[in-house]
């Protein structure tokens, strides 16, 4: 089974609108971290936001927020007030366990295009 | 600013000609990773170092080797590049391998094999 599933290969959003990028995950480990990265066409992976499995509240970082629904194993990224510079590939990732040497599992990504 | 640096940003090599990609970090992180990313795909982990401990992914071809001479530097050696090795190579670091540590990525090296 896929550890991370991103079902939206491509998304379009109007500038200044909000957009939600979907991510579901699969793990039996009670301790895990969920991450979102942005990858512009230049190629660099930029860390956006983190949610720990034991965090009680949804993570927020500026215009980014994470809609964490633990029972549904989903960790959707919400970008508010989209800007043209938000056009990029977005990857959801997970790391399992604490101090266990586990790798990052990446989803296949969602390509977001912001329309003026 | 603390960062992850990769050189060169673009590398062109010939089929079968060895090539070395370099990565350095000023974050003093314990863990360094090498990923291969092909167009429109997720990054694929090749190997990682926790300090000097080397961890090879099971499906990483023998053609790929890595060296970490000190905390700051890590190298990716491709001994005999094939056309299928053309990709973006991403170096990343994290403070530890705990589930709460994010990875910090360098800008990547785009490898072309002629």
């Amino acid at each position: 089974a896929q550890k991370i599933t991103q079902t939206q290969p491509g998304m379009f959003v109007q500038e200044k609108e909000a957009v939600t990028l979907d991510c579901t995950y699969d793990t039996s480990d009670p301790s895990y971290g969920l991450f979102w990265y942005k990858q512009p066409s230049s190629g660099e992976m930029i860390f956006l936001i983190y949610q720990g499995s034991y965090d009680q509240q949804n993570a927020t970082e500026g215009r980014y927020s994470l809609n964490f629904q633990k029972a549904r194993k989903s960790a959707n990224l919400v970008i508010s007030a989209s800007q043209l510079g938000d056009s990029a590939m977005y990857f959801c990732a997970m790391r399992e366990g604490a101090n266990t040497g586990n790798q990052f599992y990446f989803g296949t990504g969602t390509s977001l295009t912001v329309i003026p | 600013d603390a960062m992850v640096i990769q050189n060169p940003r673009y590398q062109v090599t010939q089929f079968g000609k060895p090539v070395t990609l370099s990565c350095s970090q000023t974050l003093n992180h314990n863990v360094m990773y090498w990923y291969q990313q092909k167009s429109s795909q997720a990054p694929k982990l090749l190997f990682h170092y926790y300090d000097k401990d080397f961890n090879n992914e099971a499906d990483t071809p023998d053609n790929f080797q890595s060296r970490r001479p000190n905390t700051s530097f890590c190298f990716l050696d491709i001994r005999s590049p094939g056309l299928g090795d053309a990709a973006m190579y991403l170096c990343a670091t994290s403070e530890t391998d705990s589930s709460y540590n994010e990875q910090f990525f360098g800008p990547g090296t785009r490898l072309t094999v002629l």
Side-chain angles (χ1 to χ4, degrees):
Chain A
Q2 293 282 351
K3 287 284 189 181
I4 295 285
T5 302
Q6 293 180 256
T7 58
Q8 306 155 313
M11 290 280 285
F12 292 86
V13 64
Q14 204 76 37
E15 192 177 7
K16 300 180 186 176
E17 297 289 312
V19 64
T20 298
L21 306 184
D22 294 342
C23 173
T24 58
Y25 59 92
D26 181 33
T27 182
S28 57
D29 195 324
S31 175
Y32 53 89
L34 297 158
F35 305 81
W36 277 93
Y37 285 85
K38 171 185 178 182
Q39 188 176 41
S41 57
S42 59
E44 184 172 0
M45 297 278 279
I46 302 165
F47 167 71
L48 295 178
I49 196 166
Y50 161 81
Q51 180 84 44
S53 59
Y54 296 117
D55 293 344
Q56 295 297 311
Q57 294 190 326
N58 288 341
T60 60
E61 289 285 348
R63 294 187 298 111
Y64 304 107
S65 61
L66 203 152
N67 184 1
F68 181 46
Q69 297 188 43
K70 195 169 182 176
R72 296 179 61 185
K73 293 189 175 178
S74 75
N76 298 339
L77 177 70
V78 181
I79 306 174
S80 63
S82 297
Q83 302 172 356
L84 296 179
D86 294 334
S87 294
M89 198 75 173
Y90 289 80
F91 289 96
C92 179
M94 177 177 67
R95 178 179 254 171
E96 296 170 306
N99 299 316
T100 62
N102 285 313
Q103 64 166 301
F104 260 51
Y105 297 98
F106 284 92
T108 50
T110 295
S111 176
L112 177 67
T113 302
V114 180
I115 304 166
Chain B
D1 285 343
M3 56 175 52
V4 182
I5 302 160
Q6 289 188 246
N7 285 304
R9 294 293 307 276
Y10 300 90
Q11 176 74 56
V12 180
T13 189
Q14 290 183 324
F15 183 94
K17 185 174 181 181
V19 66
T20 296
L21 310 182
S22 74
C23 176
S24 63
Q25 55 132 340
T26 60
L27 298 160
N28 204 32
H29 281 173
N30 292 306
V31 195
M32 294 187 77
Y33 307 81
W34 278 106
Y35 288 90
Q36 179 193 63
Q37 187 181 26
K38 297 190 175 179
S39 183
S40 303
Q41 295 183 20
K44 177 181 180 296
L45 183 65
L46 296 173
F47 22 59
H48 74 278
Y49 278 92
Y50 196 121
D51 289 333
K52 289 193 176 294
D53 292 334
F54 177 70
N55 297 273
N56 197 28
E57 292 304 300
D59 57 354
T60 299
D62 293 340
N63 197 25
F64 292 85
Q65 304 283 318
S66 184
R67 297 170 282 137
R68 189 179 184 186
N70 54 52
T71 301
S72 301
F73 285 87
C74 195
F75 299 96
L76 171 62
D77 301 308
I78 308 176
R79 294 193 293 188
S80 182
L83 298 178
D85 297 328
M88 174 74 91
Y89 289 87
L90 296 166
C91 174
T93 74
S94 65
E95 188 173 354
T96 72
D97 54 8
S98 295
S99 63
Y100 49 83
N101 281 155
E102 71 267 36
Q103 292 188 353
F104 294 84
F105 284 81
T109 294
R110 196 172 294 278
L111 177 68
T112 300
V113 181
L114 301 177

